[in-house]
Amino acid sequence: MKTYTTLLTEQTGAVHKITTNRPEVLNAQSRILLEELDDAFLRAVDDPEVRVIILAGAGKHFSAGHDLGSPQEMEDQKKTPLEPGFKGEYRRLWERFFDNTMRWRDLPKPTIAQVQGYCIMGGMMIASACDLIIASEDALFADRAVKWGGSHVQYFSMPWDLGPRKAKEYLFTGEFISAAEAEKLGLVNRVVPRGKLEEETMKLAQQIAERDPFALKFAKASVNEMQNAQGWRESMEGAFKNYMLTIPHRIELGTYGAAAREKNPKDRFGMLNKKAG
């Protein structure tokens, strides 16, 4: 089993669990984490012993979204610079936050997101790309991009997950969606006590793992292909382009990129931890 710098992996029978392991920054998604996660997913898919994949987050929170400026991420950006300008930014956002997530949505094995605490922005993206979501009672979901002059996150499945009217409400207000509300709306499959989250997620994964893997593969494909026939994939690509149209606007507002960090150099992770406490 490969060793990662930002992930923990473990195998329990036919269930493979991948845990993002950056609790000090609320499992924010750095370039390294996303590339390691992609590798871990693909290795699990290639392993014939794996029938179900669980995605979890270490610590109090599943994920507070993209890493917008931790010391590790800023140092990595210096070492791995992209081509300058809007073209480079488009490629970065497409490859790391859209194309990756679309690929994970179509993995040929069942995936379950095990969610606790904050599951916001990029965290909500990768949880939504999983087939099932099991949430603890304290889980909170949100896409707060409109508050910063953006349209939404890059992988924008919220209208499909919540329905169009509720998606508009939560986008326009930027309010958190509680675990109970998320279950009622259909974003979440089950809500369980925090102390039983890991146990209940594993129990469901093991139950699914007892099913025939060939049948599971095509059962999942039929559901995803039905969404695609309804325009899901084209809608997702269109939403990404709408997202990109807001980037110049956000740069002007000072809520995106280097200018935003200089203008408001607050410790976002510390602030979120303080609110959670």
Side-chain angles (χ1 to χ4, degrees), residues 8-277:
L8 302 173
T9 60
E10 60 180 305
Q11 187 86 9
T12 304
V15 178
H16 187 76
K17 185 174 182 179
I18 303 168
T19 303
T20 59
N21 189 34
R22 302 185 76 210
E24 71 282 0
V25 290
L26 283 64
N27 296 311
Q29 300 158 13
S30 63
R31 177 195 68 83
I32 295 172
L33 183 146
L34 291 168
E35 291 186 1
E36 290 189 343
L37 182 57
D38 193 47
D39 182 82
F41 272 139
L42 296 180
R43 285 175 181 269
V45 166
D46 288 341
D47 187 344
E49 300 299 317
V50 174
R51 295 191 177 188
V52 179
I53 304 166
I54 294 174
L55 176 63
K60 295 181 179 180
H61 304 285
F62 177 76
S63 176
H66 303 332
D67 190 334
L68 302 180
S70 74
Q72 298 92 340
E73 173 66 10
M74 299 312 296
E75 183 63 27
D76 180 65
Q77 287 184 20
K78 293 177 183 177
K79 294 178 180 178
T80 57
L82 291 172
E83 58 191 301
F86 190 78
K87 181 180 177 182
E89 191 67 0
Y90 187 100
R91 182 167 69 85
R92 181 182 77 88
L93 294 168
W94 174 275
E95 291 178 356
R96 293 186 192 175
F97 304 127
F98 183 75
D99 198 34
N100 261 2
T101 315
M102 294 285 278
R103 181 164 59 252
W104 301 336
R105 178 250 188 182
D106 287 327
L107 294 177
K109 295 181 179 181
T111 56
I112 305 174
Q114 176 184 301
V115 174
Q116 79 283 2
Y118 286 128
C119 180
I120 58 179
M121 307 302 288
M124 191 169 176
M125 281 173 40
I126 60 173
S128 297
C130 291
D131 299 310
L132 307 177
I133 300 177
I134 309 301
S136 62
E137 293 171 331
D138 66 344
L140 291 169
F141 302 83
D143 182 339
R144 315 189 84 188
V146 172
K147 297 184 73 172
W148 303 317
S151 53
H152 43 65
V153 290
Q154 296 92 348
Y155 175 95
F156 182 57
S157 63
M158 185 184 279
W160 297 84
D161 296 331
L162 306 182
R165 293 196 184 278
K166 279 296 183 180
K168 289 175 185 177
E169 176 185 342
Y170 283 110
L171 279 179
F172 296 170
T173 64
E175 292 178 351
F176 287 108
I177 307 170
S178 69
E181 177 73 359
E183 183 181 28
K184 183 174 75 173
L185 293 172
L187 173 65
V188 163
N189 295 87
R190 301 178 186 181
V191 176
V192 300
R194 178 67 173 263
K196 292 191 174 182
L197 177 62
E198 186 171 358
E199 174 189 344
E200 292 297 323
T201 305
M202 182 59 70
K203 184 186 299 185
L204 176 61
Q206 290 176 335
Q207 179 185 358
I208 295 170
E210 294 174 0
R211 307 294 177 255
D212 179 77
F214 195 68
L216 287 171
K217 174 181 178 178
F218 287 102
K220 174 173 179 172
S222 289
V223 177
N224 284 8
E225 287 165 6
M226 188 174 295
Q227 283 189 307
N228 292 344
Q230 293 171 332
W232 185 90
R233 186 167 293 276
E234 291 81 2
S235 298
M236 295 292 285
E237 291 182 359
F240 176 80
K241 291 172 184 176
N242 286 338
Y243 162 83
M244 289 303 306
L245 285 173
T246 69
I247 296 298
H249 176 62
R250 289 187 60 192
I251 292 173
E252 290 178 355
L253 292 175
T255 64
Y256 186 89
R261 287 191 294 271
E262 292 171 7
K263 179 180 177 181
N264 191 27
K266 294 179 179 178
D267 182 351
R268 184 170 71 98
F269 309 115
M271 290 173 65
L272 286 171
N273 265 324
K274 186 176 180 180
K275 289 180 182 178

